[in-house]
Amino acid sequence: MIDPSTVEEAISRAKAARSQAELTDLRVKYLGRKGIITGALRRIGTLPPEDRASRGAAANAARAEVEAAIDRAERLLRDRQLSHEAKNAKIDLTAPGAKVEYGHAHPVAALVDELVRVFWQMGYEVAEGPEIETEWYNFDALNIPKDHPARDMQDTFYLEEGNLPRTHTSGVQIRYMEEHQPPVRIIVPGKVFRNEDEDARHGWMFQQIEGLVVDEGVTMADLKGTLEAMMHGVLGAGVETRLRPSYFPYTEPSVEMDARCIICNGIGCSTCSGTGWVEVGGAGMVHPQVLRNVKIDPHKYSGFAFGFGPERIAIIKYGVPDVRGFWRPNLKFLEQF
Ligand code: DAH
């Protein structure tokens, strides 16, 4: 049984307390595990059954009252302390504020966004595919059979069960055409992986942006105009580019595009291996066999495809002589952009 005077005493002591420590002591003394009120509550179970309900309710009410009193006292104490501090605080209105550092997009990510915007304006859709790919999508369906020397064009990390981290985004062409009939007009930004030694132009992981257009009457002239629109869109109309004949098993004819090396102004330097040009991507007219692999009739439809390297374009755009800078966690370098 809790004596009403016990409750009154607890409440008046809470009101009189002048520090948090005093209030904590009170809480322990009355409400703690071995506290006066807790003890009384525990003893309810030993009372005759007919008394338990009323005594229990009374003890619970007492506990609630004491608890509320201590809570209230704590709040008052805190308020008083805060207003005391506020009154006595000295504010130097002339002190300079703390500088807020703003982050920004990674330069290569920003360039990929720009590329996507250029194509979005031309009515392209963005498609995506998995970074872990099957040999079928990465190679076979693109007309690169096993044991074909073209497999060596891209050094591949192989995983178990015929899977691999994709070496290019070209496999998404197949994935997309399996699901969609022409007209097809997509770009595919994404990461790719190659078992390659790093140098100024190469890394073992980098970005690609793949493009695919399939429709009736698509020609090489459409491809050339599109690639030029892309380069002008992100590098300005002044950029100097050239197309070279090349070979990819999934295009015929195939080309590669180079941009004038901005690091040496075309004179020849280590970034462009002395050639005055930086290769920025491959492209071509979609090979009829690739269309047949996805059950599109090559007599009715034709298409072009391309795969460009945003890091290579970034070399030209930002005048950075070495792609590795983009992949090191060096804020001094990245903050320049
Ligand atoms: N997949 C090629 C590479 O990674 C680039 C490429 C070339 C993509 C020609 C294409 C293409 O779509 O038509 O080097």
Side-chain angles (χ1 to χ4, degrees):
M1 184 57 204
I2 300 167
D3 189 338
S5 69
T6 306
V7 175
E8 269 163 42
E9 189 193 325
I11 293 175
S12 68
R13 287 174 73 172
K15 281 184 183 159
R18 283 291 157 264
S19 73
Q20 179 58 49
E22 274 176 72
L23 288 167
T24 305
D25 285 348
L26 279 180
R27 207 182 272 282
V28 171
K29 179 173 171 173
Y30 288 95
L31 307 169
R33 220 155 41 84
K34 294 182 180 160
I36 296 170
I37 294 182
T38 316
L41 271 164
R42 208 169 283 144
R43 280 192 302 278
I44 301 283
T46 67
L47 295 175
E50 64 273 20
D51 289 349
R52 285 183 199 165
S54 62
R55 296 282 184 83
N60 270 323
R63 184 181 62 176
E65 252 186 279
V66 172
E67 198 161 27
I70 295 176
D71 286 350
R72 200 178 321 119
E74 276 180 343
R75 264 197 315 275
L76 282 173
L77 193 65
R78 238 189 342 262
D79 288 352
R80 231 177 285 138
Q81 267 165 358
L82 279 176
S83 57
H84 177 78
E85 279 169 25
K87 262 193 219 113
N88 293 286
K90 291 197 175 50
I91 298 172
D92 177 2
L93 293 173
T94 66
K99 187 162 169 259
V100 179
E101 300 280 354
Y102 288 102
H104 60 70
H106 186 280
V108 176
L111 179 58
V112 170
D113 284 349
E114 264 185 70
L115 286 161
V116 168
R117 184 151 355 104
V118 167
F119 283 103
W120 170 71
Q121 285 166 341
M122 293 195 279
Y124 284 61
E125 195 181 315
V126 173
E128 282 180 319
E131 287 176 0
I132 302 301
E133 195 45 291
T134 62
E135 284 192 60
W136 168 255
Y137 286 110
N138 199 81
F139 293 124
D140 302 78
L142 290 164
N143 205 27
I144 318 174
K146 279 185 195 45
D147 307 322
H148 190 286
R151 286 223 178 178
D152 298 337
M153 283 169 76
Q154 301 173 350
D155 296 303
T156 309
F157 293 114
Y158 282 98
L159 306 171
E160 291 98 36
E161 293 160 12
N163 292 328
L164 43 91
R166 64 182 176 190
T167 59
H168 54 185
T169 42
S170 302
V172 185
Q173 292 186 27
I174 304 296
R175 287 183 176 275
Y176 191 88
M177 286 190 288
E178 280 178 347
E179 306 278 322
H180 300 84
Q181 282 298 308
V184 167
R185 202 173 284 119
I186 56 164
I187 43 158
V188 184
K191 285 197 212 82
V192 304
F193 308 85
R194 293 201 196 161
N195 189 356
E196 187 137 36
D197 288 336
E198 292 187 335
D199 66 23
R201 282 167 301 157
H202 297 90
W204 56 268
M205 184 201 82
F206 52 97
Q207 305 281 323
Q208 277 194 339
I209 189 156
E210 187 85 13
L212 174 69
V213 170
V214 182
D215 203 346
E216 289 179 42
V218 176
T219 70
M220 191 88 184
D222 298 318
L223 170 62
K224 187 161 182 269
T226 303
L227 297 182
E228 272 170 16
M230 162 170 75
M231 298 303 276
H232 290 175
V234 295
L235 296 177
V239 62
E240 198 187 339
T241 58
R242 72 176 184 189
L243 283 179
R244 275 183 292 111
S246 185
Y247 171 74
F248 300 102
Y250 33 100
T251 44
E252 178 58 36
S254 304
V255 292
E256 277 175 301
M257 182 170 260
D258 299 333
R260 188 58 96 185
C261 180
I262 201 166
I263 308 297
C264 61
N265 252 325
I267 295 163
C269 64
S270 60
T271 300
C272 59
S273 298
T275 63
W277 296 91
V278 177
E279 183 199 322
V280 284
M285 300 307 290
V286 179
H287 196 291
Q289 185 56 45
V290 171
L291 294 177
R292 277 194 290 273
N293 287 346
V294 291
K295 303 192 171 53
I296 291 177
D297 179 3
H299 294 293
K300 181 161 184 214
Y301 294 106
S302 59
F304 65 73
F306 57 86
F308 274 56
E311 281 90 350
R312 297 290 187 82
I313 300 175
I315 288 179
I316 311 290
K317 186 173 176 72
Y318 303 118
V320 169
D322 193 320
V323 288
R324 286 171 289 193
F326 291 127
W327 303 124
R328 303 284 187 259
N330 178 358
L331 286 180
K332 282 270 164 304
F333 174 79
L334 294 171
E335 277 165 1
Q336 302 175 90
F337 300 96

